[in-house]
Amino acid sequence: MSGFREAVINLAAIRSNMAHLRALVGTPHAMAVVKANAYGHGAVPVARAALAGGADWLGVADIDEALQLRDAGIDAPILAWLHDPDADFSAAIDDDITLGLSSARQLQRAADAAAELGQTASVHLKLDTGLSRNGVHENDWAEVFALAAALEQVGLLRVDGVMSHLSNTSATDDQQALECFERGVALVRAAGLAPTLVHLASSAAALRLPAARFSMVRLGITLYGLSPFDDASSADLGLVPAMTLRGRVAQVRRVAAGAGVSYDYLWRAPEDSTLVLVPLGYADGIPRQASGSALVQIHGATYPLVGRVAMDQFVVNLGADNPGVAVGDTVVLFGDPATGAPSATDWADAAGTINYEIVTRIGHRVPRLHIHG
Ligand SMILES: *Cc1c(COP(=O)(O)O)cnc(C)c1O
């Protein structure tokens, strides 16, 4: 039944993860972050499942991602916060997309677009509280907040929210950022603005820094059932990983002791061995850095990857005897560890990266199969 390559996305898990998180965090509002094709899980079906689970906002980076959700008929509030210098604010405002804005220039462009449309742009001011990425730097707060207030007064925009993002570096660093954010929110109010949505926490702080919850949390990685912490698994957090990445055995082959495997012969069979060819490679997002270290699951048992991950394929060693694996059988690369499968976090550890990257980088050649539980 399984495809050559496929990522099975359990939408019931998305829905129940959101319901669980929302109850745990207790904020008046909860945003499901579905940027980057919902971390590789498929933006539209994930957005619908997250809304069904109790999210009342959707968050994306780019306006194009927001417009795709609207085009699919999703009418929930959507926030987009990272903009091309020439971003089409008109299309966004006309489609009722809320803009997270980080500079006077962006505020002015949004106001110009709103004026042309004869509408009012809904805006969240994005503050830099330490990450040094986008967001208005503290040095520019007074000027930018005054401009926002002036534009609000003439009806071109409405500051509905204030936001920032934490570095998750240490308790001390996050505490400093939190205090900086509180100074910023106070200054926004002092400028005569009355934002109702105040939000700072993504998954990690939503779970472990209650003071950062304010009126909304922005949930990404935990929505997908993965842990942002080194010291807690999905199960520890009451979450179910939503993505299972799998493929079909393309070949089974016996090799003699000493046979080299894949480019550069990083691995040579130490004994007569049975090898299985798995048709996923770095074109599909399988990290080449995981060469020779990750595990996969076949018929409920796990086996090691051997040799280099190539563009389209890698090799798994079943050992001296074939336990009964045949061409066409299903290979699970990662999924819910409760099923005995390796996790996305196991692959991240094998590749020296984070689970976020493992799921988000899954390539276009891998169809997403959305199931409802
Ligand atoms: C990606 C992102 C999030 C989600 O972070 P998680 O750690 O995945 O929960 C929240 N807020 C902003 C601004 C982001 O860019």
Side-chain angles (χ1 to χ4, degrees):
M1 272 307 293
S2 80
F4 192 43
R5 312 178 175 100
E6 66 189 7
V8 182
I9 310 301
N10 178 353
L11 295 174
I14 297 281
R15 195 172 62 237
S16 67
N17 288 334
M18 179 49 79
H20 170 69
L21 291 161
R22 181 123 204 215
L24 197 71
V25 169
T27 43
H29 303 279
M31 175 181 286
V33 178
V34 296
K35 63 189 179 187
N37 196 29
Y39 293 33
H41 293 65
V44 169
V46 164
R48 290 212 171 92
L51 293 166
D56 60 345
W57 273 82
L58 300 172
V60 292
D62 301 8
I63 286 171
D64 284 350
E65 298 178 301
L67 296 176
Q68 281 167 25
L69 296 170
R70 282 283 181 266
D71 286 348
I74 292 173
D75 58 11
I78 304 175
L79 176 67
W81 57 69
L82 184 63
H83 309 296
D84 183 285
D86 302 315
D88 189 352
F89 286 155
S90 294
I93 296 164
D94 202 37
D95 248 355
D96 220 9
I97 309 297
T98 297
L99 298 169
L101 300 182
S102 294
S103 67
R105 181 180 186 276
Q106 289 182 346
L107 282 169
Q108 196 57 62
R109 288 192 75 244
D112 292 348
E116 206 159 301
L117 289 165
Q119 297 181 27
T120 302
S122 169
V123 167
H124 290 198
L125 294 172
K126 193 166 191 302
L127 312 187
D128 178 7
T129 55
L131 269 180
S132 307
R133 305 195 313 192
N134 69 350
V136 186
H137 190 270
E138 188 157 6
N139 293 343
D140 302 323
W141 284 354
E143 177 206 333
V144 170
F145 300 169
L147 174 63
L151 294 171
E152 179 170 283
Q153 223 140 52
V154 295
L156 293 177
L157 57 80
R158 207 176 47 244
V159 175
D160 291 322
V162 186
M163 66 185 289
S164 186
H165 195 42
L166 294 169
S167 71
N168 304 319
T169 304
S170 68
T172 313
D173 286 295
D174 284 349
Q175 186 56 36
Q176 264 175 25
L178 176 62
E179 286 163 16
C180 180
F181 185 60
E182 286 174 333
R183 281 197 304 280
V185 173
L187 209 64
V188 166
R189 295 199 199 286
L193 298 162
T196 52
L197 285 157
V198 176
H199 49 113
L200 176 63
S202 56
S203 291
L207 291 176
R208 292 200 172 161
L209 188 59
R213 288 173 184 163
F214 298 96
S215 55
M216 180 162 75
V217 293
R218 302 184 303 264
L219 302 168
I221 198 71
T222 46
L223 173 65
Y224 305 101
L226 300 176
S227 171
F229 306 120
D230 290 334
D231 62 355
S233 68
S234 299
D236 293 340
L237 301 176
L239 301 171
V240 177
M243 182 189 288
T244 300
L245 182 65
R246 63 191 194 186
R248 301 184 78 194
V249 171
Q251 259 186 20
V252 180
R253 124 174 359 212
R254 284 291 291 172
V255 296
V261 168
S262 194
Y263 296 125
D264 305 323
Y265 291 172
L266 285 188
W267 186 85
R268 292 175 196 262
E271 57 183 343
D272 293 357
S273 304
T274 304
L275 306 179
V276 153
L277 185 65
V278 181
L280 290 101
Y282 60 78
D284 307 300
I286 307 307
R288 188 168 174 275
Q289 291 85 344
S291 296
S293 54
L295 300 176
V296 301
Q297 185 193 41
I298 308 175
H299 296 322
T302 51
Y303 301 96
L305 225 119
V306 290
R308 274 256 197 269
V309 172
M311 188 182 292
D312 314 301
Q313 52 192 293
F314 63 81
V315 174
V316 166
N317 179 23
L318 299 179
D321 303 307
N322 184 347
V325 176
V327 167
D329 288 354
T330 298
V331 181
V332 177
L333 285 74
F334 60 80
D336 182 355
T339 67
S343 64
T345 307
D346 293 333
W347 274 81
D349 293 343
T353 182
I354 54 174
N355 50 17
Y356 291 71
E357 187 180 354
I358 295 296
V359 290
T360 304
R361 64 188 289 170
I362 299 304
H364 287 294
R365 204 164 60 176
V366 180
R368 272 62 168 179
L369 176 66
H370 292 97
I371 61 168
H372 290 270

